[in-house]
Amino acid sequence: MAKMRAARLYEPGQPFHIDEIERPEPRSGDLLVKVKACGIIPNMNAIVSGKYWHHLPPMPAIIGLDAAGVVVKAPMGRADIGEGDRVYINPFLNCGQCYYCRSGAPTLCADAALRGYFGFTPRGAKLLQDYPYGGLAEYLTAAPSHVVKLPQEVTFEQGARFGYLGTSFAALRRGAAGPGSWIAIHGMTGTLGVGAVLLALGMGVSRILGWGRNREVLARLKTLSPRRVDTLALGDAPLKHWLRERTEGVGVDLLIDCSGRGGPAAPVAEAVDCLKRGGVMVNIGALAEPLALNPTQFMTGALQYRGSNWFTNADAALMADMARVGALDLSHLEPRIYRLEQVNQALADIKQRPGGLLNFIVALDA
Ligand SMILES: [Zn+2]
C-alpha cells in the first residue's frame, strides 16, 4: 500500500502528530489530489481546542481546512477535470438530503460540515467520515463537484487562502458591493478583513473605510489605494465620529463585520449607527457577545442585518478569474511557509495575531 504523511489530531487541544498512513484510494467518480499547500488560519486553534460549539471529526482526525493541489487521478471518461489540473478543494460538504439541499441551496444545508475542520451539527460531522482527509496530508480525495480550477496566475499558496477570501467575497456580493459603493470593514486587519479589502478593490468599490488594531497592516492597506482606502486605528478617534465625518454624514452602503473570536460588540454597534439609509450589514465574524440593535432604526432606515456562511464554487471560480485577469491582486499576501512537521509551530505563531497580510501555509512537498 502506498503511504503518505498527514498531521492528525488525537485529542482536542493537543499538538498534532505527524503520522505515516495509507494513501487514500478515491471512491468511484472521485478525484485523488496531491496537496501542495494548506492554509492555517487564526480560528484553527480555537476549533481544534474542542471548546466551542463545533463538532469535531472522529479522532485521530486529519485536520486542514483549505487545500490546493494537483489532480493525480481522475474518473475515466470525463474531460472537465483531468490529471494535472491545479485545483482548490472547497471543504464545504452538504448532506444532499435536507430540504435546503433538495431545494438547490446547498450552502444553507442544515447539516453541513467543513472537511478537515468540523461539522455544524452532529449529523454534519458524520459527513466527515466520507471525506476524512483534511488538507494537512499529502493526498486527499474529493468529488469533482467540490473542486475549483485554479489558473496559472494563482499560486497554490494563494489558492489555500480561498476559504477566507471566498467568505469575504460572498459578504461583499450579498451587500451588492460594486462601483459607487461605500463600504466599512470592522476588523480590517485580520484574515477576513484583508481579503475583503483586496476583493473590494478588485470589484471597483469606490470607498473602503476600515479599522482594527494592527497599525502596520492598516498603513499597508491604505497604500494599496490611498484615495479609496481609509483606515483608523481603534482608540485613535471615536469610531462613530470618524465614520460620519469620512462619509460626509451620509454613512456607508455596506458594513462587513469581520470580528475575530472574542472581539467586543461596542465598535460594531457604533458602526451600525453609520449605515446609510437602505444600507446592509453582513456578519461573517465571530463576535462572541450579543449586539444590541435598535429595531426602530432598522425599520425607519430600511436597514438590513444578515449573516453569510461560506460561499459557493461559483464564487470561488469568479475569484479565480478575477485573479487571472489581474483585477484581484493576491500578490499583497505574503506567504509564510512551514513544512508539515512544523504545523504545531505554525499554529503557535498565528496565535500572536500577526495580521491578515501574512498567509500562513503548510507546504506539503517542502
Ligand atoms: Zn443538506
Side-chain angles (χ1 to χ4, degrees), residues 112-350:
L114 291 168
R115 70 143 80 197
Y117 219 37
F118 64 82
F120 289 92
T121 62
R123 284 209 302 190
K126 287 196 180 141
L127 297 176
L128 301 169
Q129 290 168 10
D130 289 340
Y131 293 100
Y133 307 104
L136 291 168
E138 290 175 299
Y139 292 87
L140 55 75
T141 63
S145 59
H146 290 166
V147 304
V148 177
K149 280 197 204 185
L150 294 176
Q152 290 297 333
E153 290 81 358
V154 176
T155 66
F156 291 116
E157 292 80 18
Q158 292 163 352
R161 179 78 175 240
F162 261 41
Y164 270 53
L165 286 166
T167 298
S168 299
F169 189 49
L172 286 158
R173 295 190 82 201
R174 291 199 158 139
S181 301
W182 287 45
I183 71 168
I185 302 171
H186 171 75
M188 188 189 223
T189 57
T191 314
L192 287 171
V194 166
V197 175
L198 299 178
L199 286 155
L201 288 170
M203 293 164 83
V205 167
S206 294
R207 290 278 278 155
I208 304 164
L209 306 166
W211 51 95
R213 297 192 190 279
N214 188 324
R215 287 175 189 276
E216 192 192 329
V217 174
L218 289 172
R220 285 183 54 197
L221 290 173
K222 179 147 180 72
T223 63
L224 298 181
S225 185
R227 292 173 65 190
R228 293 163 69 196
V229 178
D230 214 339
T231 64
L232 174 72
L234 274 179
D236 280 3
L239 177 58
K240 202 192 291 189
H241 178 78
W242 178 81
L243 206 43
R244 287 248 168 89
E245 189 188 46
R246 288 296 190 280
T247 56
E248 293 157 25
V250 176
V252 292
D253 300 285
L254 169 64
L255 165 66
I256 302 181
D257 180 1
C258 299
S259 295
R261 192 175 282 277
V268 184
E270 277 191 62
V272 169
D273 269 346
C274 302
L275 276 174
K276 200 166 161 177
R277 296 175 70 75
V280 184
M281 169 183 176
V282 180
N283 173 36
I284 52 173
L287 207 59
E289 50 186 32
L291 174 66
L293 298 177
N294 178 345
T296 305
Q297 181 190 14
F298 271 67
M299 182 270 285
T300 58
L303 304 177
Q304 291 179 60
Y305 180 101
R306 64 173 300 178
S308 180
N309 184 16
W310 213 244
F311 55 92
T312 64
N313 279 346
D315 289 325
L318 283 178
M319 293 193 308
D321 195 56
M322 285 169 70
R324 184 178 65 82
V325 299
L328 172 60
D329 186 352
L330 297 176
S331 71
H332 301 298
L333 300 175
E334 222 177 273
R336 180 158 289 186
I337 312 254
Y338 295 81
R339 286 180 290 111
L340 185 60
E341 291 73 17
Q342 297 171 311
V343 62
N344 293 308
Q345 189 58 51
L347 282 164
D349 291 349
I350 208 162

Side-chain angles (χ1 to χ4, degrees), residues 95-96 98 101 109:
C95 78
C98 71
C101 286
C109 175

